[in-house]
Amino acid sequence: GAGVSQSPSNKVTEKGKDVELRCDPISGHTALYWYRQSLGQGLEFLIYFQGNSAPDKSGLPSDRFSAERTGGSVSTLTIQRTQQEDSAVYLCASSSGLAIETQYFGPGTRLLVL
Amino acid sequence: TQLLEQSPQFLSIQEGENLTVYCNSSSVFSSLQWYRQEPGEGPVLLVTVVTGGEVKKLKRLTFQFGDARKDSSLHITAAQPGDTGLYLCAGGKAGGGNKLTFGTGTQLKVEL
């Protein structure tokens, strides 16, 4: 596709359930990022994939959060045993992997944990 | 830990007014980017500045990177309703790949 796509666009779940969020980056982009955004706030870095290198997981808030990127393309962010404080918009971005590059963002997945 | 503080957090102005948004940090960044985000969408890049003291203009928007590369400002002249959105600064560091630290955000509303 022409841009970064994310699915689902909205997700409502119950506390304690696991959720999986998907990101399809721009074709050919080697770098992929996950961020979390609370309502009207800035973005909180979660995890960064660059090519075949080990991912930078320094932003993951707890061991309930994990992410993988299969085949250097699609990425899945998994949140286990969701808590109400996990409610937020989860944004994915991709870039060509060069330094000081534009990050292209998807529309986000709005997660609500009841 | 939020390394980039933006001010003001909220700004509501009338069409035609000028405004400035500030992005401040105690850390030095090798690059500074500004993004605009509209409701239901992801942020979109407006500009990248990499040199201390650098000034870039994009139509009615003027961006400046501080001499010490710790702060930046965004000035909008004669604001229009289409400028409404969430403005985010983001800093990059050398050796950090393209990993960005985002600011706290400034929500701008321009009314007719």
Side-chain angles (χ1 to χ4, degrees):
Chain A
V4 178
S5 60
Q6 293 186 243
S7 61
S9 54
N10 293 280
K11 177 70 176 180
V12 180
T13 191
E14 294 179 347
K15 177 182 174 181
K17 295 286 183 65
D18 297 351
V19 295
E20 284 190 353
L21 312 179
R22 177 187 169 103
C23 172
D24 283 89
I26 292 173
S27 178
H29 278 186
T30 60
L32 186 147
Y33 316 79
W34 283 98
Y35 297 90
R36 179 169 68 176
Q37 183 176 34
S38 299
L39 187 61
Q41 300 297 307
L43 277 64
E44 174 189 6
F45 167 78
L46 296 177
I47 188 168
Y48 162 44
F49 296 89
Q50 172 58 63
N52 295 322
S53 301
D56 179 346
K57 304 179 181 180
S58 61
L60 294 178
S62 78
D63 59 8
R64 296 186 297 104
F65 288 72
S66 63
E68 62 179 20
R69 189 178 184 192
T70 54
S73 180
V74 172
S75 177
T76 302
L77 176 69
T78 301
I79 308 174
Q80 296 178 310
R81 304 181 302 282
T82 52
Q83 303 295 312
Q84 289 181 333
E85 58 264 29
D86 299 334
S87 297
V89 176
Y90 289 82
L91 290 159
C92 173
S94 71
S95 74
S96 64
L98 300 175
I100 316 179
E101 252 286 336
T102 301
Q103 292 191 17
Y104 296 88
F105 283 84
T109 293
R110 284 146 195 81
L111 175 65
L112 178 61
V113 182
L114 300 176
Chain B
T1 301
Q2 191 61 262
L3 299 180
L4 279 168
E5 295 288 338
Q6 288 184 234
S7 61
Q9 185 177 1
F10 299 98
L11 190 56
S12 181
I13 61 172
Q14 298 296 310
E15 182 180 19
E17 293 184 15
N18 302 332
L19 66 116
T20 301
V21 177
Y22 299 94
C23 172
N24 295 293
S25 174
S26 57
S27 299
V28 176
F29 291 96
S30 59
S31 65
L32 201 294
Q33 297 182 324
W34 284 92
Y35 288 79
R36 181 171 70 201
Q37 183 179 21
E38 299 187 19
E41 300 180 5
V44 176
L45 180 69
L46 296 174
V47 76
T48 300
V49 285
V50 299
T51 304
E54 181 176 3
V55 176
K56 280 192 175 180
K57 292 191 175 183
L58 181 64
K59 297 183 180 179
R60 294 177 293 99
L61 279 59
T62 301
F63 304 86
Q64 183 166 7
F65 201 9
D67 291 342
R69 291 183 290 136
K70 292 183 178 181
D71 54 83
S72 180
S73 64
L74 157 60
H75 182 79
I76 301 179
T77 303
Q80 299 177 359
D83 296 327
T84 294
L86 179 67
Y87 288 80
L88 296 159
C89 64
K93 295 202 172 188
N98 198 24
K99 179 180 169 183
L100 296 174
T101 299
F102 276 83
T104 48
T106 294
Q107 185 65 56
L108 171 65
K109 183 176 182 181
V110 183
E111 298 182 286
L112 293 170

mmCIF file of all heavy atoms in Angstrom, chain B residues 1 10 14 21 24 26 30 32 35 37 40 44-45 47 49 54 58 70 72 82-83 88 91 103 108:
data_model
loop_
_atom_site.group_PDB
_atom_site.id
_atom_site.type_symbol
_atom_site.label_atom_id
_atom_site.label_comp_id
_atom_site.label_asym_id
_atom_site.label_seq_id
_atom_site.Cartn_x
_atom_site.Cartn_y
_atom_site.Cartn_z
ATOM 1 N N THR B 1 10.233 9.256 31.486
ATOM 2 C CA THR B 1 10.785 10.605 31.634
ATOM 3 C C THR B 1 10.591 11.373 30.330
ATOM 4 O O THR B 1 11.002 10.919 29.276
ATOM 5 C CB THR B 1 12.295 10.554 31.964
ATOM 6 O OG1 THR B 1 12.485 9.826 33.158
ATOM 7 C CG2 THR B 1 12.818 11.985 32.134
ATOM 8 N N PHE B 10 -2.032 24.138 25.527
ATOM 9 C CA PHE B 10 -3.236 24.411 24.752
ATOM 10 C C PHE B 10 -3.207 25.862 24.285
ATOM 11 O O PHE B 10 -2.726 26.743 24.999
ATOM 12 C CB PHE B 10 -4.504 24.181 25.579
ATOM 13 C CG PHE B 10 -4.671 22.783 26.079
ATOM 14 C CD1 PHE B 10 -4.303 22.456 27.378
ATOM 15 C CD2 PHE B 10 -5.178 21.793 25.268
ATOM 16 C CE1 PHE B 10 -4.455 21.162 27.850
ATOM 17 C CE2 PHE B 10 -5.334 20.496 25.733
ATOM 18 C CZ PHE B 10 -4.967 20.183 27.024
ATOM 19 N N GLN B 14 -7.861 33.372 17.416
ATOM 20 C CA GLN B 14 -8.721 33.753 16.307
ATOM 21 C C GLN B 14 -7.928 33.739 15.003
ATOM 22 O O GLN B 14 -6.698 33.951 14.993
ATOM 23 C CB GLN B 14 -9.297 35.154 16.541
ATOM 24 C CG GLN B 14 -10.175 35.265 17.765
ATOM 25 C CD GLN B 14 -11.427 34.419 17.654
ATOM 26 O OE1 GLN B 14 -12.135 34.482 16.647
ATOM 27 N NE2 GLN B 14 -11.713 33.635 18.682
ATOM 28 N N VAL B 21 5.019 28.478 19.424
ATOM 29 C CA VAL B 21 5.055 27.285 20.258
ATOM 30 C C VAL B 21 6.507 26.973 20.565
ATOM 31 O O VAL B 21 7.369 27.062 19.680
ATOM 32 C CB VAL B 21 4.398 26.080 19.535
ATOM 33 C CG1 VAL B 21 4.511 24.827 20.387
ATOM 34 C CG2 VAL B 21 2.939 26.383 19.211
ATOM 35 N N ASN B 24 11.356 22.757 24.618
ATOM 36 C CA ASN B 24 12.561 22.943 25.423
ATOM 37 C C ASN B 24 13.046 21.643 26.048
ATOM 38 O O ASN B 24 12.256 20.793 26.454
ATOM 39 C CB ASN B 24 12.302 23.974 26.531
ATOM 40 C CG ASN B 24 12.028 25.345 25.979
ATOM 41 O OD1 ASN B 24 12.891 25.975 25.397
ATOM 42 N ND2 ASN B 24 10.805 25.815 26.137
ATOM 43 N N SER B 26 16.670 19.917 28.387
ATOM 44 C CA SER B 26 17.985 20.080 29.006
ATOM 45 C C SER B 26 19.029 19.244 28.264
ATOM 46 O O SER B 26 20.219 19.321 28.555
ATOM 47 C CB SER B 26 17.938 19.661 30.479
ATOM 48 O OG SER B 26 17.489 18.327 30.592
ATOM 49 N N SER B 30 20.753 16.066 18.073
ATOM 50 C CA SER B 30 21.429 16.249 16.792
ATOM 51 C C SER B 30 20.465 16.726 15.721
ATOM 52 O O SER B 30 20.882 17.274 14.701
ATOM 53 C CB SER B 30 22.096 14.938 16.359
ATOM 54 O OG SER B 30 21.118 13.912 16.241
ATOM 55 N N LEU B 32 16.065 18.051 15.155
ATOM 56 C CA LEU B 32 14.787 18.374 15.768
ATOM 57 C C LEU B 32 13.742 18.409 14.655
ATOM 58 O O LEU B 32 13.951 19.070 13.622
ATOM 59 C CB LEU B 32 14.892 19.726 16.478
ATOM 60 C CG LEU B 32 13.900 20.101 17.584
ATOM 61 C CD1 LEU B 32 12.476 20.264 17.056
ATOM 62 C CD2 LEU B 32 13.906 19.082 18.709
ATOM 63 N N TYR B 35 6.120 17.868 13.927
ATOM 64 C CA TYR B 35 5.042 17.131 13.289
ATOM 65 C C TYR B 35 3.712 17.813 13.621
ATOM 66 O O TYR B 35 3.578 18.462 14.659
ATOM 67 C CB TYR B 35 4.975 15.690 13.813
ATOM 68 C CG TYR B 35 6.085 14.778 13.351
ATOM 69 C CD1 TYR B 35 7.346 14.822 13.930
ATOM 70 C CD2 TYR B 35 5.866 13.840 12.345
ATOM 71 C CE1 TYR B 35 8.354 13.971 13.515
ATOM 72 C CE2 TYR B 35 6.874 12.967 11.921
ATOM 73 C CZ TYR B 35 8.113 13.044 12.522
ATOM 74 O OH TYR B 35 9.106 12.191 12.101
ATOM 75 N N GLN B 37 -0.438 16.707 13.927
ATOM 76 C CA GLN B 37 -1.341 15.572 13.972
ATOM 77 C C GLN B 37 -2.782 16.058 14.028
ATOM 78 O O GLN B 37 -3.117 16.913 14.853
ATOM 79 C CB GLN B 37 -1.036 14.699 15.191
ATOM 80 C CG GLN B 37 -1.868 13.444 15.289
ATOM 81 C CD GLN B 37 -1.510 12.607 16.513
ATOM 82 O OE1 GLN B 37 -0.933 13.113 17.472
ATOM 83 N NE2 GLN B 37 -1.821 11.322 16.483
ATOM 84 N N GLY B 40 -7.669 11.475 14.741
ATOM 85 C CA GLY B 40 -7.870 10.205 14.056
ATOM 86 C C GLY B 40 -6.767 9.828 13.083
ATOM 87 O O GLY B 40 -6.892 8.817 12.381
ATOM 88 N N VAL B 44 2.227 13.943 11.006
ATOM 89 C CA VAL B 44 2.833 14.151 9.693
ATOM 90 C C VAL B 44 3.973 15.145 9.842
ATOM 91 O O VAL B 44 3.804 16.206 10.451
ATOM 92 C CB VAL B 44 1.795 14.675 8.680
ATOM 93 C CG1 VAL B 44 2.473 14.986 7.352
ATOM 94 C CG2 VAL B 44 0.679 13.653 8.484
ATOM 95 N N LEU B 45 5.127 14.797 9.267
ATOM 96 C CA LEU B 45 6.308 15.654 9.396
ATOM 97 C C LEU B 45 6.112 16.993 8.696
ATOM 98 O O LEU B 45 5.654 17.054 7.554
ATOM 99 C CB LEU B 45 7.528 14.949 8.801
ATOM 100 C CG LEU B 45 8.833 15.728 8.871
ATOM 101 C CD1 LEU B 45 9.307 15.845 10.323
ATOM 102 C CD2 LEU B 45 9.916 15.076 8.018
ATOM 103 N N VAL B 47 8.848 19.616 9.278
ATOM 104 C CA VAL B 47 10.200 20.115 9.001
ATOM 105 C C VAL B 47 11.212 19.372 9.863
ATOM 106 O O VAL B 47 10.870 18.828 10.917
ATOM 107 C CB VAL B 47 10.279 21.632 9.301
ATOM 108 C CG1 VAL B 47 10.354 21.878 10.805
ATOM 109 C CG2 VAL B 47 11.462 22.288 8.606
ATOM 110 N N VAL B 49 15.201 20.210 11.366
ATOM 111 C CA VAL B 49 16.331 21.136 11.495
ATOM 112 C C VAL B 49 17.474 20.388 12.165
ATOM 113 O O VAL B 49 17.250 19.577 13.069
ATOM 114 C CB VAL B 49 15.956 22.412 12.283
ATOM 115 C CG1 VAL B 49 15.120 23.328 11.417
ATOM 116 C CG2 VAL B 49 15.238 22.086 13.574
ATOM 117 N N GLU B 54 19.644 27.241 13.142
ATOM 118 C CA GLU B 54 18.992 27.106 11.830
ATOM 119 C C GLU B 54 17.553 27.608 11.876
ATOM 120 O O GLU B 54 16.838 27.365 12.838
ATOM 121 C CB GLU B 54 19.031 25.652 11.382
ATOM 122 C CG GLU B 54 18.412 25.389 10.009
ATOM 123 C CD GLU B 54 18.557 23.936 9.571
ATOM 124 O OE1 GLU B 54 19.077 23.117 10.355
ATOM 125 O OE2 GLU B 54 18.120 23.620 8.456
ATOM 126 N N LEU B 58 8.262 27.523 6.117
ATOM 127 C CA LEU B 58 7.348 26.720 5.309
ATOM 128 C C LEU B 58 6.064 27.525 5.219
ATOM 129 O O LEU B 58 5.219 27.487 6.112
ATOM 130 C CB LEU B 58 7.100 25.369 5.988
ATOM 131 C CG LEU B 58 6.187 24.376 5.262
ATOM 132 C CD1 LEU B 58 6.794 23.953 3.949
ATOM 133 C CD2 LEU B 58 5.950 23.156 6.160
ATOM 134 N N LYS B 70 19.235 22.647 22.062
ATOM 135 C CA LYS B 70 18.440 22.096 23.160
ATOM 136 C C LYS B 70 16.980 22.528 23.072
ATOM 137 O O LYS B 70 16.152 22.036 23.829
ATOM 138 C CB LYS B 70 19.000 22.587 24.501
ATOM 139 C CG LYS B 70 20.367 22.049 24.854
ATOM 140 C CD LYS B 70 20.776 22.555 26.233
ATOM 141 C CE LYS B 70 22.129 22.007 26.644
ATOM 142 N NZ LYS B 70 22.504 22.484 28.007
ATOM 143 N N SER B 72 13.692 24.566 20.502
ATOM 144 C CA SER B 72 13.209 24.935 19.172
ATOM 145 C C SER B 72 11.913 25.713 19.330
ATOM 146 O O SER B 72 11.241 25.646 20.371
ATOM 147 C CB SER B 72 12.969 23.689 18.322
ATOM 148 O OG SER B 72 12.497 24.028 17.032
ATOM 149 N N GLY B 82 -7.300 25.932 9.187
ATOM 150 C CA GLY B 82 -6.609 24.730 8.722
ATOM 151 C C GLY B 82 -5.341 24.421 9.478
ATOM 152 O O GLY B 82 -4.790 23.329 9.336
ATOM 153 N N ASP B 83 -4.871 25.371 10.286
ATOM 154 C CA ASP B 83 -3.678 25.131 11.109
ATOM 155 C C ASP B 83 -4.033 24.375 12.384
ATOM 156 O O ASP B 83 -3.136 23.937 13.120
ATOM 157 C CB ASP B 83 -3.013 26.455 11.494
ATOM 158 C CG ASP B 83 -2.474 27.216 10.290
ATOM 159 O OD1 ASP B 83 -2.029 26.560 9.325
ATOM 160 O OD2 ASP B 83 -2.512 28.474 10.316
ATOM 161 N N LEU B 88 3.718 18.611 17.498
ATOM 162 C CA LEU B 88 4.660 17.814 18.279
ATOM 163 C C LEU B 88 6.080 18.078 17.809
ATOM 164 O O LEU B 88 6.365 18.010 16.609
ATOM 165 C CB LEU B 88 4.346 16.324 18.108
ATOM 166 C CG LEU B 88 3.005 15.839 18.626
ATOM 167 C CD1 LEU B 88 2.609 14.529 17.966
ATOM 168 C CD2 LEU B 88 3.037 15.667 20.134
ATOM 169 N N GLY B 91 12.957 15.067 19.043
ATOM 170 C CA GLY B 91 14.407 15.182 18.959
ATOM 171 C C GLY B 91 15.060 13.848 18.663
ATOM 172 O O GLY B 91 14.637 12.816 19.164
ATOM 173 N N GLY B 103 7.959 15.464 22.124
ATOM 174 C CA GLY B 103 7.555 16.432 23.121
ATOM 175 C C GLY B 103 6.161 16.151 23.643
ATOM 176 O O GLY B 103 5.469 15.248 23.172
ATOM 177 N N LEU B 108 -3.472 23.188 19.210
ATOM 178 C CA LEU B 108 -3.825 24.503 18.676
ATOM 179 C C LEU B 108 -5.211 24.463 18.047
ATOM 180 O O LEU B 108 -5.524 23.569 17.261
ATOM 181 C CB LEU B 108 -2.813 24.950 17.615
ATOM 182 C CG LEU B 108 -3.174 26.201 16.811
ATOM 183 C CD1 LEU B 108 -3.210 27.422 17.734
ATOM 184 C CD2 LEU B 108 -2.198 26.424 15.667
#
